[in-house]
């Protein structure tokens, strides 16, 4: 039973860590965009900011695809967190595996675009620590 709760905790904490990294990355996208676009709306959503960033930096198609995959999957996982207690072991293991894989995928995106605020190796280390 303790292992089950440890896995659930790892999922919740991992999703929150990844959400925080995505917010930091999106804020950096805004800063990068503002270097060329002076009139950025303040109320743009994260997804819109990312779209603008990748439109300007159109030489990053894989990173764009991966970023939006991460973004979408994180929304699903975040919305599913309240239901984790009612999941069976296979479902919990599947969610934990997804969270682990997202750490590596986000690390690759961060490395590819040159985001300086989060070392990609740190995310990879965190991913390795998640036991599935």
């Amino acid at each position: 039973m303790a292992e089950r709760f440890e896995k659930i905790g790892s999922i919740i904490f991992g999703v929150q860590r990844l959400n925080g990294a995505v917010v930091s990355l999106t804020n950096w996208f805004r800063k990068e965009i503002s270097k060329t676009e002076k009139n950025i709306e303040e109320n743009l959503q994260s997804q819109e900011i990312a779209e603008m960033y990748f439109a300007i930096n159109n030489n990053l198609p894989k990173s764009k695809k991966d970023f939006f995959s991460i973004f979408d999957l994180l929304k699903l996982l975040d919305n599913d967190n309240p239901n984790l207690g009612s999941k069976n072991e296979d479902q919990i293991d599947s969610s934990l595996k997804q969270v682990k894989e997202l750490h590596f995928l986000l690390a690759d995106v961060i490395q590819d675009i040159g985001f300086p605020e989060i070392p990609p190796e740190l995310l990879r280390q965190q991913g390795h620590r998640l036991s599935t």
Side-chain angles (χ1 to χ4, degrees), residues 16-63:
Q16 293 308 310
R17 179 188 306 113
L18 291 165
N19 277 329
V22 167
V23 167
S24 294
L25 184 55
T26 304
N27 289 336
W28 182 77
F29 286 164
R30 182 183 287 277
K31 287 181 209 168
E32 290 297 301
I33 294 166
S34 69
K35 292 177 181 177
T36 57
E37 303 287 326
K38 300 302 178 198
N39 297 323
I40 303 173
E41 292 181 41
E42 285 298 317
N43 60 349
L44 288 177
Q45 300 296 313
S46 297
Q47 193 165 357
E48 295 168 310
I49 293 168
E51 284 287 355
M52 287 179 70
Y53 175 83
F54 286 113
I56 293 167
N57 298 281
N58 58 6
N59 60 334
L60 301 165
K62 183 178 181 330
S63 292

Side-chain angles (χ1 to χ4, degrees), residues 14 17-18 21-22 99-100 102-110 115 118-130:
R17 179 188 306 113
L18 291 165
V22 167
V99 171
K100 182 175 187 165
L102 286 176
H103 279 74
F104 295 104
L105 190 57
L106 186 56
D108 290 345
V109 170
I110 285 172
F115 177 55
I118 298 174
E121 194 51 44
L122 180 63
L123 277 176
R124 290 185 184 105
Q125 288 172 359
Q126 294 296 327
H128 283 298
R129 289 186 182 137
L130 295 172

Side-chain angles (χ1 to χ4, degrees), residues 59-108:
N59 60 334
L60 301 165
K62 183 178 181 330
S63 292
K64 177 182 179 180
K65 178 182 148 298
D66 290 346
F67 177 82
F68 285 108
S69 293
I70 293 164
F71 193 84
D72 291 342
L73 193 50
L74 276 176
K75 278 196 282 189
L76 291 173
L77 286 165
D78 204 25
N79 289 336
D80 199 38
N81 275 348
N83 304 318
L84 285 171
S86 63
K87 301 236 178 221
N88 66 40
E89 288 304 312
D90 289 340
Q91 292 169 319
I92 290 171
D93 287 343
S94 175
S95 292
L96 185 57
K97 183 178 182 217
Q98 287 177 318
V99 171
K100 182 175 187 165
E101 290 169 355
L102 286 176
H103 279 74
F104 295 104
L105 190 57
L106 186 56
D108 290 345

